[in-house]
Amino acid sequence: MVQKYNVIVVGAGHAGSEAAAAAANMGSETLLITMDLMSIAKMSCNPAIGGIAKGQIVREIDALGGYTGIVTDSTSIQFRMLNLSKGPAMWSPRAQSDRVKFSVKWREMLEQTQNLSFWQDTVTSLIFEQNKIVGVKTLLGAIFYADAVILTNGTFLNGLMHVGQTKIPGGRDADAPSLNLSDELKNKGIPVLRMKTGTPARIDGRTIDFSKVKEQEGDDKIAKFSFLPNIKSPLKQRSCYIVYTNIQTHNTLKTGFQFSPLFSGVIEGIGPRYCPSIEDKLVTFSERDSHMLFLEPEGENTVEFYINGFSSSLPLDVQYNALREIPGLENVKIFRPGYAIEYDYFDPTYLQLNLESKIINNLFFAGQINGTTGYEEAAAQGLMAGINAHLKINDKEPFVLKRYEAYIGVLIDDLINKGVDEPYRMFTSRAEYRILLRQDNADFRLTEKSYNIGLASESRYNMVKTKKQHVNNVIDFIKTNSIKPSEADNLLLSLNTPEMKQTEKMYKVLLRPQITIKHLLQCSNAFSKFIDNSEIENLEEVLESAEIQLKYESYIERESLSAEKLKRLDYVKIPGNFDFDRLQSLSTEAKQKLKKIKPKSIGQASGIPGVSPADISALLIYFGR
């Protein structure tokens, strides 16, 4: 069987699913190949989406026209907005999802996507014509040709799972590994490296003593990821629970250290610094007598729970006995133990900013095979790879987001310019412009860009334009209208903030830390009447956006000016074949890094570690700036 497509996506995890949807929605005839059509976008680790910085990424995916936010909102069983005690740049949405229904919803949405076909099989080799990818071959003997191929193999490339001294070839949850592809790409000159990740045991909720654990409920107001209206979860909301390890737990865990593949050298891959196994924690934080763990429900009705914070590759009996030392889990039963998994990944510095290989034309990489960890980072890369594969085969300019435009831009820029030596995880601290890259304004930042390249729909674009106009109208009203002491003083006193001495602009009153825009609505009849007459459909989002822009105006302006300086550097292009050795004023380290990364602009060059401000000045002088 031989068939031809515009784009082939290999792997249907979070990266592959977003890649296939993006390419197909932009008009490419797309084929999604996966080993198991029943495991599309499977939540291999914890049943949750979002979190610190990750939530911002999901909102950006949605603003661009991706599916992750919609699927999460449709299957969530708990929602929390994290970091509300901090400034809005740090607010991060997070949701627990029903693991099974999440995957089912993803498949449903993909099946409803035009131009998208499916094939259940394993890709065993790639087809090249010199330095260009032209297709794939599968285990069943099928041959598929394509103008572009996107690899999103996750943890399946030469995957090897560890439980104590037991080793099982597999890419996830006893699924078969993907073999051969790593060797093919290594022979083409792409470095193949090794990483490790892990997952904790799943336990039977019927055996948890809930009288001994601390309940963690979701927010009373259930917010969402998607900017689209009328998308919400029909599912019953559930609580998570907090438990703590203790000295007895730790002592039991330590009895298995001699059998741990992590400490014996059996596992060679580098593990995630920011999501360590429980045995890692005991060694790294040896002074601590206790560690917090979260019991997260796996679905709306199931009794299965995920133990967040207890990832382990220790022997089965050690995991089981240690869990039973935790208050509340004395009689716990395990559905399946935790395990570690090693897998191949490819050096992301061998990619261009559009996620296309620098060595093999029209071959794109996305997800954990680029050295990242997490559903959200994978989905973002998949979306960008799907967009850029379509653009490349249609002879259009790449779609690249800058560091000052999106967390997705920070993620990809970090991967390509800095590389990874451990599984990469996004944090708000990685973004220099996080007051600009808030979760509330992702649609203002990105939807128009997506509409201009043919992904975001016209109806979504018009919705954003209308919302932006409403926000600007609210801001103008508050800046130009005043409020009298007689209207506001009672409220101000109740909020322990001084009375007004005279009539003031509403804007000045709003700048008080205790005052919110909803307080102005309570005490100003003129403002309340204005809002009623405006007939704003998504009022909560409009008021929140207006309030943030007003309260943080000076900070936003300061970061915008800083971003403008970097933007000017992006306009100074560097030819693809430029010989950096000809500039003697460049440092030796800068020459080495610039020749490896091959930046397309001086803005990109300025983000490469080892390229100093003096090196950037030398480049600017050479290019006449």
Side-chain angles (χ1 to χ4, degrees):
M1 191 176 97
V2 179
Q3 293 184 14
K4 173 72 165 60
Y5 292 87
N6 298 128
V7 175
I8 291 175
V9 180
V10 180
H14 299 263
S17 297
E18 286 287 7
N25 281 324
M26 293 181 75
S28 285
E29 287 295 330
T30 304
L31 176 66
L32 179 59
I33 304 177
T34 175
M35 297 179 185
D36 183 5
L37 283 169
M38 299 302 294
S39 299
I40 287 177
K42 185 176 182 178
M43 293 176 130
S44 309
C45 203
N46 65 321
I49 290 289
I52 306 301
K54 293 169 175 281
Q56 283 88 328
I57 287 177
V58 176
R59 296 220 90 191
E60 290 177 352
I61 290 170
D62 183 77
L64 288 165
Y67 288 175
T68 298
I70 297 171
V71 173
T72 304
D73 290 342
S74 302
T75 60
S76 69
I77 55 175
Q78 186 191 92
F79 183 93
R80 295 179 66 215
M81 185 67 76
L82 307 182
N83 282 341
L84 282 176
S85 62
K86 301 179 181 179
M90 306 296 286
W91 297 353
S92 303
R94 184 182 189 272
Q96 298 289 141
S97 277
D98 185 301
R99 181 192 299 277
V100 174
K101 292 175 182 176
F102 182 92
S103 184
V104 169
K105 181 65 177 178
W106 250 113
R107 175 164 173 169
E108 175 188 314
M109 292 194 66
L110 290 176
E111 287 182 347
Q112 294 172 358
T113 300
Q114 292 186 349
N115 306 315
L116 182 56
S117 300
F118 304 87
W119 183 254
Q120 181 169 289
D121 202 346
T122 300
V123 172
T124 53
S125 63
L126 307 174
I127 305 171
F128 303 98
E129 286 183 359
Q130 297 179 338
N131 66 334
K132 181 180 178 181
I133 187 88
V134 295
V136 302
K137 295 179 181 178
T138 74
L139 186 64
L140 293 177
I143 297 175
F144 298 104
Y145 289 101
D147 301 310
V149 173
I150 306 172
L151 296 181
T152 68
N153 301 75
T155 60
F156 281 82
L157 292 175
N158 293 322
L160 183 63
M161 298 183 294
H162 299 265
V163 181
Q165 294 180 311
T166 301
K167 294 188 289 186
I168 307 168
R172 169 190 65 198
D173 202 12
D175 291 338
S178 176
L179 309 175
N180 305 323
L181 295 186
S182 293
D183 290 337
E184 281 193 343
L185 293 169
K186 184 176 182 180
N187 291 335
K188 288 287 184 179
I190 300 176
V192 180
L193 304 163
R194 200 84 168 143
M195 274 188 180
K196 166 255 176 187
T197 188
T199 190
R202 272 56 163 189
I203 60 175
D204 188 339
R206 296 169 298 183
T207 62
I208 298 172
D209 184 348
F210 287 99
S211 68
K212 297 181 180 180
V213 302
K214 179 181 178 182
E215 185 175 11
Q216 185 184 57
E217 297 180 312
D219 293 347
D220 293 332
K221 173 193 167 188
I222 303 175
K224 59 195 185 78
F225 285 98
S226 180
F227 291 97
L228 295 176
N230 304 322
I231 293 178
K232 61 181 181 179
S233 174
L235 307 184
K236 175 180 66 181
Q237 299 297 289
R238 294 190 62 180
S239 295
C240 296
Y241 300 89
I242 298 173
V243 297
Y244 295 88
T245 64
N246 51 46
I247 292 293
Q248 291 76 24
T249 312
H250 298 180
N251 288 337
T252 301
L253 289 168
K254 288 175 183 177
T255 64
F257 278 13
Q258 60 180 314
F259 307 110
S260 168
L262 191 63
F263 299 141
S264 65
V266 173
I267 292 180
E268 299 176 356
I270 302 167
R273 178 192 303 268
Y274 303 105
C275 188
S277 65
I278 189 65
E279 52 264 41
D280 263 332
K281 291 180 186 179
L282 297 192
V283 173
T284 306
F285 306 104
S286 57
E287 74 284 358
R288 295 187 58 176
D289 295 334
S290 177
H291 291 281
M292 182 187 294
L293 307 175
F294 297 87
L295 305 181
E296 301 178 350
E298 294 269 336
E300 178 186 22
N301 298 310
T302 182
V303 298
E304 187 175 2
F305 277 79
Y306 174 95
I307 318 176
N308 197 336
F310 204 81
S311 172
S312 180
S313 60
L314 289 169
L316 170 58
D317 61 329
V318 175
Q319 293 186 44
Y320 178 69
N321 292 330
L323 283 171
R324 289 195 157 210
E325 297 287 357
I326 296 172
L329 305 183
E330 293 90 347
N331 298 305
V332 77
K333 291 183 179 179
I334 294 178
F335 279 2
R336 58 187 175 94
Y339 61 87
I341 181 169
E342 286 186 283
Y343 57 95
D344 292 343
Y345 78 99
F346 305 105
D347 186 345
T349 64
Y350 281 72
L351 298 176
Q352 303 177 55
L353 284 170
N354 66 348
L355 297 179
E356 181 185 10
S357 171
K358 293 176 181 176
I359 294 175
I360 304 169
N361 291 333
N362 294 15
L363 178 62
F364 294 78
F365 294 75
Q368 283 187 267
I369 61 170
N370 287 340
T372 60
T373 180
Y375 310 140
E376 303 82 2
E377 291 90 341
Q381 293 171 71
L383 177 71
M384 297 300 286
I387 290 171
N388 279 302
H390 171 84
L391 294 174
K392 174 67 185 295
I393 62 178
N394 286 281
D395 298 320
K396 295 181 179 180
E397 287 296 310
F399 182 63
V400 175
L401 295 172
K402 308 297 184 182
R403 298 183 72 90
Y404 47 81
E405 293 177 323
Y407 272 91
I408 295 174
V410 175
L411 164 65
I412 295 176
D413 187 78
D414 279 351
L415 293 177
I416 276 67
N417 290 330
K418 299 177 182 178
V420 294
D421 55 10
E422 62 185 47
Y424 180 98
R425 180 178 179 179
M426 179 55 72
F427 292 101
T428 52
S429 58
R430 295 191 190 273
E432 303 91 333
Y433 305 100
R434 52 185 177 269
I435 192 65
L436 301 181
L437 309 183
R438 307 183 310 275
Q439 58 85 29
D440 68 279
N441 70 350
D443 54 344
F444 289 174
R445 291 184 279 117
L446 300 175
T447 298
E448 182 176 3
K449 294 178 184 294
S450 181
Y451 172 71
N452 288 338
I453 61 170
L455 178 56
S457 66
E458 185 173 7
S459 61
R460 179 187 277 263
Y461 176 49
N462 289 334
M463 182 187 70
V464 173
K465 286 198 298 183
T466 301
K467 176 183 170 183
K468 187 178 292 188
Q469 186 60 56
H470 282 312
V471 170
N472 290 337
N473 291 343
V474 171
I475 291 173
D476 289 342
F477 187 94
I478 291 175
K479 280 192 169 184
T480 56
N481 287 269
S482 301
I483 189 168
K484 298 176 182 178
S486 59
E487 294 178 288
D489 277 351
N490 287 338
L491 177 65
L492 297 179
L493 287 172
S494 70
L495 297 171
N496 296 318
T497 184
E499 298 173 273
M500 294 167 57
K501 296 181 179 179
Q502 58 188 15
T503 298
E504 292 183 5
K505 294 291 184 186
M506 297 175 72
Y507 171 56
K508 287 191 175 180
V509 177
L510 182 62
L511 291 181
R512 299 189 185 195
Q514 303 89 343
I515 304 301
T516 69
I517 202 166
K518 290 185 177 180
H519 290 138
L520 295 181
L521 274 174
Q522 291 176 31
C523 58
S524 170
N525 289 329
F527 185 35
S528 179
K529 186 176 180 180
F530 166 77
I531 291 297
D532 289 341
N533 291 337
S534 297
E535 296 182 350
I536 302 171
E537 182 179 2
N538 46 350
L539 183 60
E540 289 280 344
E541 287 186 11
V542 168
L543 293 179
E544 180 184 84
S545 181
E547 181 174 341
I548 291 170
Q549 290 186 51
L550 287 164
K551 279 183 173 288
Y552 294 88
E553 186 175 37
S554 61
Y555 297 99
I556 293 171
E557 287 179 356
R558 190 182 309 162
E559 278 201 2
S560 296
L561 288 172
S562 178
E564 279 296 323
K565 293 178 182 178
L566 184 58
K567 187 183 297 185
R568 288 197 291 270
L569 292 181
D570 285 328
Y571 289 133
V572 186
K573 303 300 181 184
I574 300 175
N577 59 350
F578 184 73
D579 181 10
F580 293 101
D581 286 325
R582 66 197 294 181
L583 295 184
Q584 295 184 2
S585 52
L586 291 176
S587 68
T588 301
E589 182 181 5
K591 289 178 183 177
Q592 291 172 347
K593 297 290 181 66
L594 291 167
K595 286 189 290 186
K596 179 183 179 183
I597 303 298
K598 296 182 175 63
K600 297 292 182 67
S601 70
I602 291 184
Q604 183 185 352
S606 68
I608 300 173
V611 178
S612 70
D615 296 317
I616 296 300
S617 295
L619 289 170
L620 285 169
I621 291 169
Y622 179 83
F623 287 103
R625 302 300 177 93

